[in-house]
Amino acid sequence: MEGQRSQVTGSMAAAGARLGTRGAGEAVAAAHALSPPAEAYGNDPNIEMIWAMKAYQHAEVYFNLISSVDPKFLKLTKVDDQIYAGFRKSFGDLKIDVLDPEELKSEAAKAKWRPFCMQFDGVVEDFNYGTLLRLDCTKDYTEENTIFVTRIQFFAIETARNREGYNNVVYSHATEIKSVAVERGLSA
């Protein structure tokens, strides 16, 4: 299943390009199609595209959020404190500003992440769904800067990035761009 989901990252750009053409009815149909367990689908390219679109949409919303609101004030889940404490207890030395994919995907890393993730089964909705994560938190989502992880890994790393100030660079850059645009608009 992990291999199937990791293939989705390559479809991110295509999904993003088609995202705007999907209506509410298609979104409901996609959500319904994704409700059975992943094992029921095999390697269905339509399902992979739906997963890619859903993951891309989540990434786009999150990046817009950290660009618009000071990340230190964001609360991503009702259990952010529990996620953060557990994450830093289990992964205290993990460098989160620029992630090494091996720290997330190697067999040794998977063995370490699995118990952390499983403690949130029943606590965080869809804790094991696939989600896109930026490798370098100073940059936007691109194919080169994106890795496919579980939702709980995303919440753990992004909550830590927000609390520890690593995502401030995104917010500061977006704020600076908005200020320049306002100044140019006023001086024109």
Side-chain angles (χ1 to χ4, degrees), residues 113-133:
W113 275 101
R114 192 169 293 111
F116 171 80
C117 294
M118 292 308 296
Q119 70 181 314
F120 294 99
D121 186 5
V123 176
V124 174
E125 185 177 350
D126 301 330
F127 78 103
N128 62 346
Y129 274 29
T131 304
L132 299 173
L133 178 68

Side-chain angles (χ1 to χ4, degrees), residues 6 8 23 30 36 46-47 57 74 92 94 96 102 104 109 115 121 124 128 159 161 172-173 178-179 185:
S6 65
V8 174
N46 292 325
I47 298 302
Q57 187 175 36
L74 289 178
L94 182 65
I96 60 171
E102 288 298 307
L104 299 165
D121 186 5
V124 174
N128 62 346
T159 297
R161 284 174 168 175
S172 296
H173 181 70
K178 288 175 193 171
S179 295

Side-chain angles (χ1 to χ4, degrees), residues 25-35 50 53:
E26 288 175 301
V28 170
H32 178 71
L34 293 175
S35 59
I50 292 169
M53 289 180 345

Side-chain angles (χ1 to χ4, degrees), residues 33-179:
L34 293 175
S35 59
E39 295 80 23
Y41 296 109
N43 287 329
D44 184 336
N46 292 325
I47 298 302
E48 289 183 7
M49 182 56 66
I50 292 169
W51 275 110
M53 289 180 345
K54 189 173 179 177
Y56 181 82
Q57 187 175 36
H58 176 266
E60 187 175 51
V61 167
Y62 181 71
F63 195 81
N64 288 339
L65 188 61
I66 63 173
S67 297
S68 303
V69 177
D70 189 338
K72 69 182 172 202
F73 297 117
L74 289 178
K75 189 160 177 73
L76 302 179
T77 73
K78 293 177 182 179
V79 292
D80 279 5
D81 293 338
Q82 181 183 351
I83 293 170
Y84 180 71
F87 172 67
R88 278 308 185 197
K89 181 178 178 186
S90 297
F91 300 96
D93 295 334
L94 182 65
K95 185 175 177 249
I96 60 171
D97 57 340
V98 180
L99 293 165
D100 177 357
E102 288 298 307
E103 295 287 339
L104 299 165
K105 297 293 185 175
S106 71
E107 289 306 315
K110 287 179 186 179
K112 190 171 181 182
W113 275 101
R114 192 169 293 111
F116 171 80
C117 294
M118 292 308 296
Q119 70 181 314
F120 294 99
D121 186 5
V123 176
V124 174
E125 185 177 350
D126 301 330
F127 78 103
N128 62 346
Y129 274 29
T131 304
L132 299 173
L133 178 68
R134 294 168 300 134
L135 292 169
D136 181 341
C137 69
T138 65
K139 298 178 182 175
D140 201 342
Y141 286 92
T142 63
E143 284 193 55
E144 300 78 27
N145 193 43
T146 304
I147 191 166
F148 204 65
V149 298
T150 63
R151 184 165 288 166
I152 193 61
Q153 287 175 300
F154 170 88
F155 285 144
I157 292 168
E158 288 297 342
T159 297
R161 284 174 168 175
N162 291 341
R163 290 184 177 197
E164 296 172 18
Y166 292 107
N167 277 335
N168 288 352
V169 68
V170 173
Y171 175 69
S172 296
H173 181 70
T175 303
E176 184 179 309
I177 289 172
K178 288 175 193 171
S179 295

